[in-house]
Structures are given as structure tokens and as C-alpha cells.
Amino acid sequence: MGKSSALLEPLADAIGRHVQRGQAIFADDTPVKMQAPGTGRTKTARFWTYVRDERPWAGDTRRAAWYQFSVDRKGIRTISHLKDYSGWMHADGYAGFEKLYQTGRIREVACMAHVRRKFVDVHQSAISHGGSAIAEEAIMRIAALYAVEKEARGSSPEERVRLRQLKAKPVLDDFEQWLGAQLTLISGKTPLAEAIRYALTRIKRLRPYLDHSILELDNNTAERGMRAIAIGRKNWLFAGSERGGRSAAIVYTLIETAKLNGVDPQAWLTDVLGSIADHKITRLDELMPWSYAQE
């Protein structure tokens, strides 16, 4: 596997460059255990994913997921990964991303799914007492925003913006004002108050989606990209080393990108492994999964 991933690394790097040429990407990370020789235990490392998927607004049809591995979660890791990227980035509220935004090259788009999740947690924790009426109302208001997105999906960029301005903006404006009012009525030390404060902070950073057709309401695209890792690590348990983690990131990049393009990863990689050693480095695009799909 190590030798195969080394052979395929130029292809994974090319996928990374393709992702960074997008106008907007989706970013997420997840923890993974890595062996720490000499300690008798494992340490926590990270997998990162950066996804380019422009289907909702009929953009580039070549979809890609680029994975990276690091031994920690320091903000410098994302700066290194995205040193050549300029554009929008959908992401959660991870503080390490702030340095990326401070460069001025990358502009943040917050995630409504994370906001919703906090209200769902509050509502479910109070379900034995009839639930939380405020949390339930917040969930319903968020559902109204997703209803607009369902209507806009697949429409032209101009129509997506028109629908959002006409239908989503009034809902989001009212939701923000309503949240502020509710915060004055409850204890500031409750989980509900924490959820409201989080929502008010993130809504300010989500507003660009109303004006730009290339943006989405949430970061679920990246979270779906982490699903394979979340399932896989239950079986392989840990990375054997930093080198092993990087090899895994290469393999995940290739397999998940193939899946995004409707290509059988095994058939494609079998073909690629048989030809990549003799293939010119300047013609790697011919080996991409979207090129294979057209054959």
C-alpha cells in the first residue's frame, strides 16, 4: 500500500490543485489515532478534507475531494494546505481557520447545520420535560431556510440569488432578531443560551451565501467527505505512523474523488496503476477519474 500510494501521489497532488482552483470549497477535519512509539499508547492526529463540488449551481462538473494528514490540529496545518488557494471556504467555527481568513485570500462561510445541531441537542436533552419550546422554534425557523435551498437547488446562479433574496433573507433576518430577543428572557448560563450565542455569532458569518450563488447554507458536503474515515477507523483503529497517515490521505483522495464522479474506484485505480509509471507528468489530467468516466 505504501509503494502504491507513493506511485499515485502525483495524481493526488493534481486533485489537490484542482480543488484549489475552485471559487468555493468545503473544509472539515476529524481526529484519528496514530501510534506513538516508545510511549505504549497512541496520540491524536487529524485527517483534513477539502472538497470542490459545484453541482448545486451548475458549475464545473469535475468534483473532487482532497485529503491531508497531520500529527496535530494546529492552525499552521491548514495554512500550509491552502497556501495556493483564494476564494470562499465553508467551514465550522474551528479557531485555527481564523489565520486563513486574516490573510484576506480566503473568505469564510459559516455552517447552518452546526447551528441547528446545537438546538437539536438542547431540545432532545429536555425532551423528558416536554422539550424546549425555544429550541423547537429555532429548528422550525432553520427548516424554512432549508426549504428555500431545496427550491433553489439546480437552478441557474441568477435564480438562486433571486430566491434567496426574496425568500431566505427575510427569514434569516427575522431569525436573528428573534434569537436576540430570546436571549434576554433566559438565564445566560444555560445550554440554550450557549446555543443562541453560538447561532448569533455564526449567522453573521453565514450571510454571504444570500448574495453569492456559488455558496451553500451549510458545510455538509465536507462532512459527507469524512464519512468514509469515520466508518473506516472503526476497523483499522489507528495510523501506524505519520507516513502511514499520509499514504492513507492519498488513497482517500483517489477513492472519494472517484466516487464523487460516479466512477468505480477499483476499476479506475486498476487501470491507473497499470499505466501511471510510464505516463508523462504533464498529462496527468488524462488519468483523472472524470476523464476515465468519459471513456
Side-chain angles (χ1 to χ4, degrees):
M1 286 299 297
K3 290 181 179 179
S4 294
S5 64
L7 189 63
L8 294 167
E9 187 171 10
L11 197 56
D13 290 343
I15 289 174
R17 290 192 294 272
H18 172 72
V19 168
Q20 294 186 79
R21 286 194 292 268
Q23 298 180 60
I25 61 174
F26 302 83
D28 197 13
D29 70 293
T30 193
V32 60
K33 293 180 179 180
M34 183 184 76
Q35 282 188 324
T39 66
R41 63 184 68 184
T42 58
K43 63 177 295 183
T44 300
R46 312 296 295 194
F47 274 115
W48 308 80
T49 188
Y50 304 97
V51 183
R52 179 179 176 182
D53 188 347
E54 301 172 0
R55 281 176 290 184
W57 56 279
D60 195 312
T61 58
R62 298 171 298 174
R63 299 173 287 278
W66 181 44
Y67 293 80
Q68 293 286 280
F69 178 83
S70 66
V71 297
D72 54 44
R73 204 192 186 199
K74 294 179 180 178
I76 193 173
R77 306 302 179 187
T78 59
I79 292 176
S80 174
H81 300 161
L82 300 177
K83 63 181 182 298
D84 298 321
Y85 178 65
S86 295
W88 296 97
M89 188 173 80
H90 299 78
D92 59 22
Y94 167 52
F97 287 143
E98 291 298 325
K99 291 185 178 179
L100 281 176
Y101 308 139
Q102 291 169 8
T103 67
R105 294 184 296 104
I106 298 176
R107 291 168 288 179
E108 179 186 13
V109 190
C111 175
M112 182 57 78
H114 279 79
V115 172
R116 182 183 183 278
R117 203 167 296 154
K118 288 188 178 294
F119 287 115
V120 170
D121 289 344
V122 170
H123 186 58
Q124 291 181 342
S125 66
I127 204 73
S128 60
H129 303 291
S132 166
I134 293 177
E136 185 176 18
E137 174 71 15
I139 294 167
M140 291 176 61
R141 287 171 179 262
I142 293 171
L145 292 170
Y146 275 99
V148 177
E149 290 306 291
K150 183 177 180 180
E151 182 180 352
R153 190 165 298 276
S155 300
S156 67
E158 296 77 17
E159 179 65 8
R160 280 163 62 84
V161 172
R162 188 190 71 82
L163 284 171
R164 287 172 175 174
Q165 291 293 323
L166 178 66
K167 297 184 177 182
K169 187 176 185 301
V171 174
L172 189 63
D173 290 344
D174 188 54
F175 183 38
E176 187 173 27
Q177 293 176 8
W178 177 81
L179 286 172
Q182 303 312 304
L183 196 56
T184 65
L185 304 176
I186 62 175
S187 169
K189 298 181 180 180
T190 62
L192 178 58
E194 180 183 344
I196 291 176
R197 286 193 294 268
Y198 176 83
L200 289 170
T201 299
R202 302 309 292 161
I203 285 174
K204 288 180 174 61
R205 298 187 176 205
L206 177 61
R207 283 191 170 277
Y209 100 96
L210 294 170
D211 303 311
H212 299 274
S213 62
I214 64 174
L215 305 181
E216 293 294 297
L217 181 58
D218 59 39
N219 192 37
N220 286 349
T221 298
E223 294 198 0
R224 286 192 293 271
M226 283 300 187
R227 189 172 298 160
I229 294 176
I231 294 173
R233 66 188 170 201
K234 294 180 181 179
N235 298 305
W236 46 259
L237 301 180
F238 53 79
S241 64
E242 183 176 0
R243 180 179 176 182
R246 290 177 177 174
S247 293
I250 291 170
V251 174
Y252 275 116
T253 295
L254 301 174
I255 291 177
E256 294 304 310
T257 297
K259 288 161 62 177
L260 279 173
N261 288 275
V263 171
D264 178 353
Q266 183 175 358
W268 170 60
L269 286 173
T270 298
D271 187 60
V272 168
L273 282 168
S275 59
I276 192 169
D278 301 319
H279 204 87
K280 290 184 178 180
I281 195 75
T282 56
R283 295 169 53 189
L284 280 179
D285 194 60
E286 297 174 359
L287 299 180
M288 291 294 188
W290 44 81
S291 298
Y292 182 83
Q294 295 170 2
E295 295 180 357

